[in-house]
Structure formats: structure tokens, C-alpha cells
């Protein structure tokens, strides 16, 4: 984990859930660690107080923890998911929030809320609840931008890794539909000079 990501009081609950997720799918674990670093950097670029990182960091690390319960045929599908399998995959956001609520980690409600809503879209077309605009919790909107950036820059069975320029082109096409336009503006400025930037 990058040294500039703060320690947080979620402690052993977070560690156990993350270890289970990483054992289930190591690639998801690596992705989640990168999303932590990106989310924390974006939160700081937005001027959020350090106390907010005690929610953002564990939520980013656990944003895909609900995939623990996703069947192998869906989780490891080599192509884009369609129909019933896509509906199963979409369940991971709510499932992850429910798992977190079963723990006694500090600020579990705020962490679970960020995990539940990290796939909501700014125009209301996301899931699981179809929230739009600023009705989507800020923590979730931050994680969404970081998650999209890392996923697009990572080689997947159904797409090659994109360059930074290609990723930003895609994200800007999604500005105001998927991405919060104000957060994306801050992210674009921040990532341009960041060591977290993909090649």
C-alpha cells in the first residue's frame, strides 16, 4: 500500500474482508489497492479534511468486496457480461455494503454507503438505486472516478490496457453522464502530474 495512504481505524475488520476478497480474486485485490491510492489523492486534491479519508480509504479498498459471493462463471467470464450474468455481477455493490454492515468497524454506515453507491452514475443510469447528481454520496463519486480510471488502464480479458490519454478521452466522454463533472475536472488536473498516472 502506498505510504501516503493514511492508516485508518477500520482495522482488523477491513483487513479480514480484504484478505478474503484477495484470496477469492487476487487481481481484484490489486485493483482495489490502486483505487485506494487514486481515491485518497483525489480526495486530497478536492481539499477534503484528513478525517474524511478514514471513510474513503477503507471504502475504496473494499468497494469490490461483494464479489466474494459472485459465481466463478460470472467473476471470471472472459468476455463482456450480458443479461442475467450482468445482473448477477451488478449485485456486488449492495452485497459488499451488506457485508460491511455485518462488522463493527468504525464508521461502517458511511463506508457501506460509499461501497453500495460506487456504481451510481451522475445522470441516474447507474446501480443499484439509480441515484443521480449530488444525491450520490461524495465518497462514492470519488471512488467511482478512481475505479473507472484504474479499470480502463488495466488489461482485462475483454479489453487491453489503455494509455493515460486514451483513458482521459473516455472519461471526458462520460463527463456528466457517468462521472461527476466537477470531480473529473479536479482528477484530470491532479493525475496529470501524479506518480499514480498510467503511462
Amino acid at each position: 500500500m502506498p505510504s501516503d495512504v493514511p492508516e485508518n481505524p477500520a482495522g482488523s475488520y477491513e483487513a479480514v474482508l480484504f484478505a478474503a476478497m484477495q484470496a477469492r480474486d487476487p487481481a481484484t485485490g490489486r485493483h482495489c489497492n490502486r483505487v485506494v491510492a487514486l481515491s485518497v489523492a483525489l480526495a486530497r486534491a478536492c481539499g477534503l479534511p484528513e478525517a474524511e479519508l478514514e471513510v474513503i480509504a477503507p471504502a475504496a479498498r473494499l468497494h469490490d468486496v461483494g464479489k466474494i459471493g459472485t459465481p466463478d462463471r460470472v467473476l471470471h467470464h472472459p468476455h463482456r457480461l450480458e443479461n442475467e450474468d450482468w445482473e448477477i455481477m451488478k449485485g456486488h455493490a449492495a452485497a459488499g455494503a451488506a457485508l460491511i454492515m455485518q462488522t463493527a468497524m468504525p464508521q461502517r454506515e458511511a463506508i457501506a454507503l460509499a461501497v453500495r453507491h460506487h456504481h451510481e452514475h451522475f445522470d441516474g443510469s447507474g446501480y443499484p438505486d439509480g441515484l443521480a447528481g449530488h444525491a450520490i454520496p461524495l465518497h462514492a463519486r470519488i471512488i467511482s472516478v478512481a475505479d473507472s480510471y484504474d479499470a480502463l488502464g488495466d488489461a482485462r480479458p475483454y479489453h487491453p490496457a489503455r494509455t493515460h490519454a486514451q483513458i482521459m478521452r473516455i472519461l471526458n466522454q462520460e463527463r456528466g453522464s457517468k462521472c461527476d463533472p466537477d470531480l473529473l475536472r479536479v482528477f484530470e488536473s491532479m493525475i496529470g502530474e501524479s506518480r499514480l498516472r498510467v503511462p
Side-chain angles (χ1 to χ4, degrees), residues 175-189:
R175 182 190 299 269
S177 55
K178 182 177 181 181
C179 301
D180 179 326
D182 294 328
L183 283 180
L184 185 57
R185 193 173 302 114
V186 175
F187 181 82
E188 189 165 17
S189 176

Side-chain angles (χ1 to χ4, degrees), residues 119-197:
H119 279 299
E120 305 285 2
H121 293 176
F122 204 71
D123 66 0
S125 65
Y127 62 87
D129 298 316
L131 300 184
H134 293 93
I136 304 167
L138 176 59
H139 300 145
R141 283 181 276 136
I142 287 172
I143 293 168
S144 175
V145 173
D147 184 30
S148 292
Y149 183 84
D150 186 74
L152 289 167
D154 194 25
R156 301 288 172 91
Y158 46 85
H159 72 68
R162 273 85 164 198
T163 66
H164 171 75
Q166 290 171 326
I167 296 168
M168 293 314 303
R169 192 175 306 117
I170 293 168
L171 292 182
N172 275 298
Q173 289 169 352
E174 297 172 340
R175 182 190 299 269
S177 55
K178 182 177 181 181
C179 301
D180 179 326
D182 294 328
L183 283 180
L184 185 57
R185 193 173 302 114
V186 175
F187 181 82
E188 189 165 17
S189 176
M190 176 276 293
I191 199 67
E193 301 300 323
S194 174
R195 64 183 179 80
L196 301 172
R197 172 180 166 162

Side-chain angles (χ1 to χ4, degrees), residues 1-6 14 18 29-45 53 56-63 142-143 145-147 149-150 187 190-191 194-197:
M1 181 178 67
S3 59
D4 57 353
V5 174
E14 177 189 346
F18 182 77
R30 292 190 296 271
H31 161 70
C32 288
N33 271 333
R34 294 190 300 267
V35 172
V36 176
L38 289 163
S39 297
V40 167
L42 177 54
R44 286 180 168 147
L53 304 184
I56 290 170
R61 187 168 292 108
L62 298 177
H63 75 276
I142 287 172
I143 293 168
V145 173
D147 184 30
Y149 183 84
D150 186 74
F187 181 82
M190 176 276 293
I191 199 67
S194 174
R195 64 183 179 80
L196 301 172
R197 172 180 166 162

